[in-house]
């Protein structure tokens, strides 16, 4: 997942300093969509295999929506400023 986060950020021209945040967003997505709401630590081996087998499709889905990654990062920054 970290490699996918790196690739998505690079394709959008966003620095790697956002990798930790995007990684968290991707893991939340995986948890919700592929692991039935479980974390990677509580999911079964079968669920983890399913998620691993689908990771490239997930990356392709993110790439198919131009500006999505940029919007995710901008949302973080805007939410951070709104909380101050």
């Amino acid at each position: 997942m970290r490699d996918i986060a790196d690739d998505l950020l690079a394709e959008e021209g966003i620095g790697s300093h956002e990798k930790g945040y995007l990684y968290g967003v991707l893991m939340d997505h995986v948890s919700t969509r592929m692991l039935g709401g479980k974390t990677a630590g509580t999911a079964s081996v079968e669920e983890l295999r399913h998620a691993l087998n689908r990771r490239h499709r997930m990356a392709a889905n993110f790439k198919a929506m131009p500006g999505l990654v940029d919007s995710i990062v901008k949302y973080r920054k805007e939410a951070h400023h709104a909380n101050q």
Side-chain angles (χ1 to χ4, degrees):
M1 283 298 153
R2 285 194 166 278
D3 290 344
I4 291 172
D6 273 336
D7 290 344
L8 292 170
L9 289 169
E11 287 189 17
E12 292 281 332
I14 300 170
S16 62
H17 61 282
E18 298 291 353
K19 180 171 50 174
Y21 175 71
L22 184 59
Y23 173 78
V25 169
L26 292 174
M27 289 305 295
D28 287 345
H29 180 76
V30 167
S31 173
T32 301
R33 302 283 298 195
M34 298 180 204
L35 301 177
K38 298 176 188 171
T39 65
T42 59
S44 70
V45 172
E46 293 80 21
E47 290 168 320
L48 292 172
R49 284 187 181 135
H50 171 72
L52 284 172
N53 289 333
R54 304 264 324 188
R55 72 187 184 280
H56 296 294
R57 182 72 186 139
M58 182 191 74
N61 288 342
F62 272 77
K63 290 176 184 180
M65 297 179 209
L68 177 61
V69 173
D70 188 49
S71 294
I72 291 169
V73 171
K74 282 182 182 177
Y75 173 79
R76 173 189 182 208
K77 290 177 182 177
E78 289 172 8
H80 175 73
H81 290 297
N83 290 333
Q84 290 182 347

